[in-house]
Amino acid sequence: MTYWLQELQQKRWEYCNNLDAAKRDSRTSPTPSDFSKGLVAKDNPDLSILSQNASAERARNILAVETSPTDLVGEQAASQPAPVQPSAINFSLKQWSTEIKNSMSSLRKGNNENRKSIFYTTEEWELLDPTPKDLEDSMALEEKRKHLAEGSKGLTSSAFPFDFGRIPHKTRRPLKDMIGSSKNRNSSDSSPTEWCSGNGNKLVSELQLKYQSQQEELEKLKKDLLSQKELVRLLQQTVRSSQYDKYFASRLCEGVPKDKLELLHQKDDQILGLNNQLEKLNLEKDSLQQEVKNLKCKVGELNERLGMLMETIQAKDEVIMKLSRQLSECEDNTASQSGAVNSSVVTCTNKELQELDRLKDNLQGYKTQNKFLNKEILELSALRRNAEAREREWQAKYTSLEAKLCQIESKYLILLQEMKTPVCSEEQSPAREVITQLLEDALKAETSEQPEQAFFKPHLVSEYDIYGFQTVPEDDDEEKLVAKSRALDLRSLSLSENREISTGVKWENYLASTMNREMMRCVELKNLIRSGIPHEHRSKIWKWCVNLHVKKFKDSTVPGYFQTLLHNALEKQNPASKQIELDLLRTLPNNKHYSSPTSEGIQKLRNVLLAFSWRNPDIGYCQGLNRLVAIALLYLEQEDAFWCLVTIVEVFMPRDYYTKTLLGSQVDQRVFKDLMSEKLPRLHAHFEQYKVDYTLITFNWFLVVFVDSVVSDILFKIWDSFLYEGPKVIFRFALALFKYKEEEILKLQDSMSIFKYLRYFTRTILDARKLTAIAFGDLNPFPLRQIRNRRTYHLEKVRLELTELEAIREDFLRERDTCVEKRDLISDDEEDS
């Protein structure tokens, strides 16, 4: 900023020296009539105190000159931020003097940069507010100067009408004395030249050079003094104008009405707007001039291109004329040859006509052939539809016959079993031998060693079902007969049901609708899962259900969590590994995937159980977890089966469900008793009458979710709903099983027969659709809140009972240790230990 001010001062000084003195004086002393016009009004904030309306306030905010709030000067004021004060409109001449001081201080600080704009003084100047008398004298002087502007010449000390301050006389030095002292110093510095001339001529040249340099420096100082005097004069004129404006405004405000003042402010606002428009128009003029220059350049380029194009056209005209001459010559030559050409054209035309006729004949033939083929296609489509209809009829008839055959064969097996008599003597009757042979033939399962038998007798039951479970056991003949009969009934039931086809179509439609979006919990999906998941889609749906329930656990684990657990369980000592190894082959011995140590499922089962025992050391391993994992592994991979077990144990079931005390399992049995008395009161009263504790049967249902308790088709339909809806499904199906056979159980009139029937009656239930309708329809309403409340109620009771039992056990042990006679009574477990 200092550099810019110095350059501006230098340019102004040069400009003012080139002007005529009279013109310069007249320009620096504007008359009162000029205050509201031109750029002076924009830079004169003192006029803005006339009115306080909104437009004038905006103009003052824009044009007001602001000063530092502490009236700092020099570099300190230059470093302060520009304050925004509403009182900036009350600008005084005292503040103008502060601004001038700041400029002077900045100029003094930069004396090493540009000496042309520096005051070579050591005194501080002070500007004072003039008195009214000084203002009147100044106005009178301005009027005289206005008339005598033509005769005023040069720059004199009269151009300084303001005092440089009330400075003490000791420190006040006029500029003329300062210049004189500078001359004295120069003259004293040059005095040795006379002494040198008397002593010799050797130093003459050096002294002359020194004198010349001093003269040059003196000239520079004079020029600097003139420039500084010019600057002081201009500053004095500015201050004088401001003083005059303030005085004029104060005198004007005394006698001017308020409406005229408002009109004056409005005129000021209009002047500001016009100035802004003028600046915009100047910018537009510059831009238009630039566009004109660009257009002129483009016109020049277009003229050059036009000249080139004209030359090109002339060259082309010459080429055309040349080609025209050649064409005329060629026409003359071809006129003689036209006779021969006409004959050849006639020949070609005849050939083309013949070819056209041939193509028309081919087109007609293709149209006739197309009509015939379309008719043939329609006839073949009708034949195909008829054949498909006949095939569907035959398929339905075959299915019904196959179902009837299964029923007949089942009854046939039962009849043979009834006719078979126990051996009373060593001699066997021929009828018994025939019945035995028929039983052996009927119990033979479909195998690959008997392909020719399938030609004349269909084998309706394979050795394993689609889940890998044996359909007919190998040990007990009677059990084999019952299992074969049950498998035939199940096959007959599946063949006679057409509902499975519609369910598969619904699943295909639903999965097709979710190809481009994630599956969400909804009523449609719940109803589809309750009706049963098709075999080919069960893996996908189970995995989605498991991830839905354990998402919060998975998000908190690191990648490779399952492998880390498995590695730790294999490398480090695991107390549960011994019991896990003992139970591996006892998990599902009737399933081909777990029947032998080399089976594929055994190693996967071991890995999942070991990893879970390491994750949950409070449980470690409990008998029953192996069966849950084995069922999960039939449709899931190892890691997904691990998370499925986490879902069942840590999400679905209450705490202490699989611990050593089985506290949660005991609580659920008491809750189930309450539900039995509410949903099936007759059956519950029947059990109470004969003192049958059916929880001995149902305890295993809840612990392993019906594994090895129902047939495989029903088992996996229960698991479909269980993995989606949670543990409430176990209560629903447990009640549904009892309701399915309620009438048969009520017919039994003694506790032994009832208990015996309860041990196997669940495997005689084959109709999954009927069982599902009972579980999700007949037993409604079935609120989960009711189950939770009853769990809380019975949990406290069972804990209290377990505490009492533990106290009795401790008393017994303490009494046994103190009594000599009872020390000999040691249990088998204690002897083993």
Side-chain angles (χ1 to χ4, degrees), residues 529-660:
I529 290 176
R530 285 181 175 183
S531 64
I533 303 173
H535 176 71
E536 59 272 16
H537 301 308
R538 185 166 279 131
S539 297
K540 178 181 178 180
I541 303 301
W542 278 20
K543 183 177 180 179
W544 177 80
C545 291
V546 169
N547 291 332
L548 182 69
H549 295 297
V550 296
K551 187 177 185 300
K552 60 179 181 180
F553 294 110
K554 279 191 170 183
D555 293 341
S556 61
T557 59
V558 296
Y561 176 69
F562 170 74
Q563 297 297 331
T564 303
L565 292 176
L566 180 59
H567 177 75
N568 293 334
L570 292 175
E571 294 294 330
K572 301 177 182 179
Q573 185 177 3
N574 189 355
S577 59
K578 182 178 180 181
Q579 187 62 40
I580 290 173
E581 291 296 330
L582 292 175
D583 286 347
L584 287 177
L585 293 177
R586 294 185 293 187
T587 302
L588 293 177
N590 59 337
N591 191 290
K592 64 181 180 180
H593 301 292
Y594 306 100
S595 58
S596 66
T598 58
S599 297
E600 182 182 2
I602 292 296
Q603 183 59 40
K604 294 182 178 180
L605 180 62
R606 179 188 292 112
N607 293 341
V608 174
L609 292 175
L610 288 173
F612 181 80
S613 66
W614 198 261
R615 169 185 168 85
N616 197 332
D618 293 339
I619 296 175
Y621 172 73
C622 173
Q623 288 185 345
L625 298 181
N626 56 335
R627 296 189 178 187
L628 297 176
V629 175
I631 294 298
L633 283 172
L634 292 178
Y635 284 100
L636 301 174
E637 294 298 328
Q638 291 186 65
E639 186 171 355
D640 296 326
F642 166 78
W643 288 113
C644 180
L645 184 61
V646 171
T647 301
I648 296 172
V649 176
E650 300 182 14
V651 179
F652 286 167
M653 300 304 187
R655 292 186 60 184
D656 299 328
Y657 210 89
Y658 294 96
T659 55
K660 294 180 180 180

Side-chain angles (χ1 to χ4, degrees), residues 89-200:
I89 57 175
N90 299 323
F91 187 80
S92 64
L93 290 175
K94 186 71 175 177
Q95 293 169 334
W96 269 102
S97 64
T98 304
E99 291 295 326
I100 295 172
K101 288 180 181 181
N102 293 339
S103 301
M104 300 290 287
S105 176
S106 298
L107 292 171
R108 283 194 300 274
K109 290 293 183 180
N111 55 3
N112 292 327
E113 297 177 4
N114 190 352
R115 294 186 59 189
K116 291 183 179 181
S117 301
I118 305 304
F119 290 97
Y120 294 96
T121 61
T122 58
E123 292 84 12
E124 291 290 337
W125 295 351
E126 181 179 359
L127 297 178
L128 302 176
D129 292 334
T131 62
K133 182 178 180 180
D134 296 335
L135 288 175
E136 292 178 357
D137 296 341
S138 177
M139 291 176 62
L141 183 61
E142 287 296 324
E143 292 294 333
K144 292 179 181 180
R145 288 175 61 84
K146 184 176 181 181
H147 296 290
L148 300 175
E150 298 290 337
S152 59
K153 303 289 182 180
L155 299 174
T156 63
S157 60
S158 63
F160 295 84
F162 62 95
D163 193 1
F164 276 93
R166 297 167 185 156
I167 307 172
H169 294 285
K170 294 180 181 180
T171 59
R172 188 186 306 169
R173 291 180 63 193
L175 294 175
K176 189 179 294 185
D177 295 341
M178 294 164 61
I179 296 171
S181 63
S182 177
K183 288 181 178 180
N184 292 333
R185 285 196 302 269
N186 292 333
S187 62
S188 63
D189 290 339
S190 61
S191 59
T193 55
E194 295 178 359
W195 178 80
C196 291
S197 60
N199 293 330

Side-chain angles (χ1 to χ4, degrees), residues 411-420 435 438-439 442:
K411 295 176 182 179
Y412 168 71
L413 291 173
I414 296 173
L415 179 62
L416 290 178
Q417 181 66 23
E418 293 293 334
M419 290 180 64
K420 185 179 180 181
I435 293 172
L438 290 173
L439 283 173

Side-chain angles (χ1 to χ4, degrees), residues 41 116 128 202 219 242 256 267 364 382 402 408 422 432 443 483-484 521 529 557 575 610 646 833:
K116 291 183 179 181
L128 302 176
K202 293 182 179 181
E219 292 297 328
S242 299
V256 178
K267 294 296 183 180
Q364 188 66 29
E402 191 174 2
I408 292 171
R432 186 174 182 280
L443 291 175
K484 182 69 177 290
R521 295 179 74 111
I529 290 176
T557 59
L610 288 173
V646 171
S833 61

Side-chain angles (χ1 to χ4, degrees), residues 288-329:
L288 291 174
Q289 289 177 353
Q290 186 64 31
E291 290 182 0
V292 168
K293 291 181 181 179
N294 296 333
L295 289 175
K296 287 182 179 179
C297 295
K298 290 183 179 179
V299 168
E301 294 177 357
L302 291 175
N303 288 331
E304 294 178 357
R305 292 179 62 185
L306 181 61
M308 294 173 63
L309 290 174
M310 293 297 294
E311 295 177 357
T312 305
I313 290 171
Q314 291 178 0
K316 289 183 178 180
D317 289 340
E318 294 177 357
V319 173
I320 290 170
M321 294 298 296
K322 183 177 179 180
L323 293 174
S324 298
R325 289 193 297 270
Q326 293 179 0
L327 179 62
S328 61
E329 294 176 358

